[in-house]
C-alpha cells in the first residue's frame, strides 16, 4: 500500500510503550546563566520584507507537486526554499543553515520527492534527531507527495516494530526516521540502504548534540557513494562543519538570514520566594489577557507531571509531554495542543525539541534551563511565523 496516496493507512494506531527517548540527555549538571540574559525587549524581524526570486511555478518540478503545494496553501517560497530548491534540482549537495520555522522541510522535500518521481529506482533516506520532527517531516511528505504513488516508511523508536516491518517489505522509496531505529533496522537486515542515492540530515547540530554521530556515520557509509546529500543545521560551528565537510561532496552552502528567532520574543524574569508564590504567579500569567497558548518547561518527568496535575486541578486545560510517556501519549498531547483543545503544554526539554506549533504566545521556564543554548531553543517555540512571543523565566529570589 502506498501511503502517499489519499487513502492513509492506520500504521500509526499501534504506537506504544517503553520509550527510552529521554535517555540521550546531553548533560546532567546545569551551567550558571546570568539572569540578566533572560531579560530582553523583542525586536521583531519583519519576515515579509523578503522578496523571493522565484515563484513555485518557476521550479521545474512535477505538476503533481506544484498542485499539492497550492492545495497546502503555499503561495510563495520562503527564503530557504527560494534558494535551496533551484540548486537542489540540479543534483548538487546542499548545506542549508536554517532553523525550524523557516520552511526548511519543504526546501528539501520538494526536490527529493521530485527526484523520486522522475526516477522510481531512486531511494531517499531522511534522518532527524527526534521522533516528533521525523513525524512532522513525514506529515509534510504525505501532503507534498499525495497521489504520487511513492511508498514510504517512518522508522522511529519507542513504537512497535511490526508496522515498520510491514512497510519495509514493500520496498519503500522514502525512509524517514531517527538514527537509532534506522540503524536497528539495518542491523536486523530489515532495511538495505546501499542503493539509497538521496540523503537528508535534518538538524545536524541537534543530532550531534544528542550523540548520534557514530550511528549517522555508520548509516551514511552504507549509502550509495554517488548520492545527493542535504544537510540542515541551525549553526555551522565547530564539529558540525567538520562532520558536514566529511559527509558532503562539493556542496553549495545556503545561508539564509532569518534573524535569531529570539529577536521576536519579549523576554523577562519572574521572581518568587516560596513554591506557593511561584504557582500563584504562574496562575496569573496563564489567566492574563494576552496569554493564548503556553508551553511550560520543567526539569524532570516527575515535576512535569506534578505541575500538569496542579494546573488541571486549578481548571486549566493542560497536558504534559516527557520522555517517560509513550509515543502515542505524546502524540495525543501534542495534537491537542496544536488543535487548541488544551491551551497549556508542560514539557521537558528533550520532549519539546522540534515541536512546530505556530501559535504559541508564551514560553514559561518554570525551571531555569540547563544551558543558554537550551534557553534559546526553548524560547524559539514562541514568536513563530513573524508573531511577537513572550518568554518568562522563573528565578528564585534568595534572602
Ligand atoms: P519548517 O521550518 O519546515 O518546520 O516549516 C514551518 C511551517 O511553515 C510548517 O508548518 C510548514 O507547513 C509551513 N511552510 C513551509 N513553507 C511554506 C510556504 N512556502 N508557504 C506557507 N507555509 C509554509
Amino acid at each position: 500500500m502506498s501511503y502517499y496516496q489519499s487513502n492513509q493507512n492506520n500504521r500509526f494506531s499501534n504506537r506504544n510503550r517503553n520509550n527510552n527517548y529521554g535517555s540521550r540527555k546531553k548533560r546532567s549538571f546545569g551551567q550558571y546563566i546570568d539572569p540578566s540574559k533572560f531579560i530582553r525587549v523583542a525586536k521583531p524581524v519583519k519576515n515579509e520584507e523578503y522578496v523571493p526570486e522565484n515563484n513555485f511555478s518557476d521550479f521545474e518540478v512535477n505538476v503533481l507537486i506544484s498542485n499539492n503545494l497550492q492545495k497546502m496553501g503555499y503561495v510563495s517560497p520562503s527564503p530557504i526554499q527560494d534558494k535551496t530548491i533551484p540548486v537542489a534540482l540540479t543534483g548538487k549537495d546542499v548545506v542549508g543553515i536554517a532553523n525550524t520555522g523557516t520552511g526548511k522541510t519543504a526546501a528539501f522535500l520538494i526536490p527529493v520527492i521530485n527526484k523520486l518521481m522522475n526516477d522510481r529506482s531512486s531511494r531517499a533516506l531522511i534522518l532527524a534527531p527526534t521522533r516528533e520532527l521525523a513525524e512532522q517531516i513525514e506529515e509534510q511528505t504525505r501532503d507534498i507527495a499525495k497521489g504520487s504513488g511513492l511508498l514510504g516508511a517512518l522508522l522511529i523508536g519507542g513504537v512497535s516494530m511490526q508496522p515498520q516491518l510491514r512497510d519495509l517489505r514493500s520496498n519503500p522509496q522514502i525512509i524517514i526516521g531517527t538514527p537509532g531505529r534506522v540503524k536497528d533496522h539495518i542491523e536486523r537486515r530489515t532495511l538495505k540502504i546501499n542503493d539509497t542515492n538521496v540523503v537528508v540530515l535534518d538538524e545536524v547540530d541537534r543530532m550531534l548534540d544528542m550523540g548520534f554521530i557514530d550511528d549517522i556515520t555508520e548509516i551514511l557509509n552504507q549509502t550509495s557513494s554517488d548520492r545527493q546529500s542535504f544537510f540542515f543545521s541551525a549553526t555551522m560551528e565547530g564539529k558540525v562543519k567538520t562532520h558536514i565537510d566529511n559527509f558532503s561532496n562539493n556542496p553549495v552552502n545556503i545561508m539564509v538570514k532569518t534573524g535569531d528567532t529570539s529577536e521576536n520574543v519579549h523576554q523577562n524574569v519572574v521572581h518568587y520566594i516560596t513554591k506557593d508564590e511561584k504557582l500563584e504567579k504562574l496562575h496569573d500569567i496563564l489567566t492574563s489577557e494576552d496569554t493564548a497558548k503556553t508551553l511550560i518547561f520543567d526539569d524532570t518527568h516527575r515535576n512535569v507531571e506534578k505541575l500538569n496535575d496542579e494546573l488541571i486541578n486549578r481548571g486549566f486545560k493542560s497536558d504534559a509531554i516527557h520522555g517517560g510517556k509513550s509515543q502515542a501519549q505524546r502524540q495525543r498531547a501534542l495534537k491537542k495542543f496544536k488543535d487548541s483543545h488544551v491551551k497549556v503544554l508542560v514539557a521537558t526539554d528533550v520532549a519539546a525539541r522540534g515541536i512546530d506549533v505556530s501559535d504559541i504566545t508564551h514560553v514559561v521556564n518554570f525551571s531555569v534551563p540547563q544551558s543558554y543554548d537550551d534557553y534559546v531553543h526553548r524560547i524559539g517555540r514562541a514568536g513563530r511565523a513573524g508573531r511577537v512571543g513572550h518568554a518568562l523565566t522563573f528565578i528564585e529570589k534568595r534572602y
Side-chain angles (χ1 to χ4, degrees):
M1 91 265 70
S2 150
Y3 76 74
Y4 301 133
Q5 283 168 348
S6 38
N7 58 328
Q8 301 198 348
N9 63 45
N10 61 355
R11 270 179 310 113
F12 302 113
S13 59
N14 207 13
R15 299 243 155 108
N16 62 5
R17 301 167 289 278
N18 294 342
N19 77 67
N20 55 3
Y21 179 60
S23 61
R24 284 186 189 261
K25 210 159 184 343
K26 55 181 174 178
R27 3 177 145 67
S28 43
F29 298 103
Q31 58 175 224
Y32 172 74
I33 309 165
D34 184 338
S36 67
K37 290 184 88 172
F38 301 139
I39 304 170
R40 197 161 149 192
V41 176
K43 285 186 243 129
V45 178
K46 291 197 181 73
N47 289 335
E48 62 274 15
E49 277 173 14
Y50 182 77
V51 181
E53 283 174 24
N54 303 287
N55 289 315
F56 279 119
S57 57
D58 296 333
F59 301 135
E60 288 186 14
V61 295
N62 191 296
V63 64
L64 178 132
I65 296 177
S66 315
N67 288 341
N68 285 342
L69 291 173
Q70 218 170 2
K71 281 185 210 145
M72 290 162 73
Y74 287 19
V75 177
S76 62
S78 72
I80 189 80
Q81 294 163 358
D82 194 33
K83 295 193 158 70
T84 301
I85 296 170
V87 173
L89 288 173
T90 67
K92 288 191 178 139
D93 281 8
V94 173
V95 176
I97 316 288
N99 35 18
T100 307
T102 54
K104 67 180 164 61
T105 316
F108 63 76
L109 281 180
I110 293 168
V112 168
I113 291 167
N114 189 61
K115 185 162 173 157
L116 299 178
M117 288 182 74
N118 284 347
D119 173 9
R120 297 270 162 175
S121 66
S122 279
R123 293 286 178 276
L125 171 66
I126 300 172
L127 294 176
T130 64
R131 298 168 191 170
E132 279 77 11
L133 186 59
E135 282 169 341
Q136 283 169 22
I137 295 170
E138 207 248 359
E139 271 170 36
Q140 280 201 46
T141 308
R142 281 179 189 271
D143 290 338
I144 298 175
K146 197 167 190 171
S148 66
L150 291 171
L151 299 169
L154 177 68
L155 308 181
I156 55 177
V159 297
S160 163
M161 278 277 189
Q162 290 314 314
Q164 298 179 3
L165 293 172
R166 194 189 62 214
D167 288 338
L168 286 170
R169 278 195 289 275
S170 51
N171 191 14
Q173 282 100 337
I174 311 181
I175 304 289
I176 301 168
T178 45
R181 183 57 70 96
V182 167
K183 200 181 130 215
D184 251 20
H185 278 287
I186 294 171
E187 283 171 355
R188 289 162 178 249
R189 297 175 193 278
T190 47
L191 169 66
K192 282 203 197 100
I193 54 167
N194 48 329
D195 55 357
T196 295
N197 57 349
V198 190
V199 168
V200 180
L201 297 196
D202 197 10
E203 300 202 352
V204 181
D205 50 339
R206 288 266 127 192
M207 289 207 273
L208 297 183
D209 260 6
M210 293 168 77
F212 282 133
I213 184 62
D214 292 341
D215 290 353
I216 291 170
T217 309
E218 254 178 74
I219 293 168
L220 290 194
N221 282 343
Q222 295 191 36
T223 59
S224 168
S225 56
D226 66 350
R227 62 169 190 257
Q228 181 183 18
S229 310
F230 296 77
F231 303 90
F232 286 87
S233 181
T235 72
M236 270 297 267
E237 281 157 21
K239 279 193 200 136
V240 181
K241 183 170 173 4
T242 317
H243 288 302
I244 290 180
D245 283 348
N246 287 340
F247 295 140
S248 58
N249 174 21
N250 201 13
V252 175
N253 290 295
I254 293 170
M255 199 179 308
V256 171
K257 180 92 189 82
T258 53
D260 189 344
T261 350
S262 56
E263 295 282 333
N264 275 1
V265 181
H266 278 303
Q267 302 167 50
N268 212 341
V269 293
V270 181
H271 288 289
Y272 68 95
I273 298 171
T274 64
K275 280 189 177 163
D276 286 345
E277 188 192 8
K278 192 179 182 188
L279 268 174
E280 291 312 320
K281 287 199 166 173
L282 177 64
H283 190 118
D284 290 347
I285 293 165
L286 295 178
T287 50
S288 86
E289 231 174 72
D290 59 347
T291 309
K293 200 176 261 192
T294 310
L295 179 59
I296 304 177
F297 287 94
D298 211 343
D299 50 0
T300 63
H301 300 178
R302 205 163 154 263
N303 286 342
V304 164
E305 282 292 330
K306 243 172 70 183
L307 182 57
N308 183 43
D309 289 346
E310 175 67 34
L311 292 176
I312 291 169
N313 280 340
R314 285 171 178 245
F316 292 104
K317 289 187 168 167
S318 174
D319 210 330
I321 56 169
H322 55 71
K325 288 202 164 199
S326 74
Q327 188 66 11
Q329 288 172 318
R330 290 190 342 206
Q331 273 174 333
R332 271 199 300 275
L334 194 56
K335 185 160 185 344
K336 278 199 275 175
F337 190 53
K338 264 191 179 175
D339 298 345
S340 299
H341 295 138
V342 297
K343 297 293 181 70
V344 180
L345 187 68
V346 191
T348 53
D349 283 292
V350 178
R353 274 182 192 157
I355 288 181
D356 170 28
V357 178
S358 56
D359 55 352
I360 294 173
T361 55
H362 287 65
V363 166
V364 172
N365 297 310
F366 204 61
S367 68
V368 174
Q370 297 252 317
S371 68
Y372 190 68
D373 208 32
D374 283 345
Y375 173 75
V376 173
H377 267 275
R378 285 184 180 187
I379 70 167
R381 308 281 147 227
R384 287 284 176 85
R387 297 186 184 95
V388 172
H390 298 262
L392 295 166
T393 303
F394 277 81
I395 306 276
E396 190 177 5
K397 218 174 183 178
R398 294 195 188 93
Y399 287 102

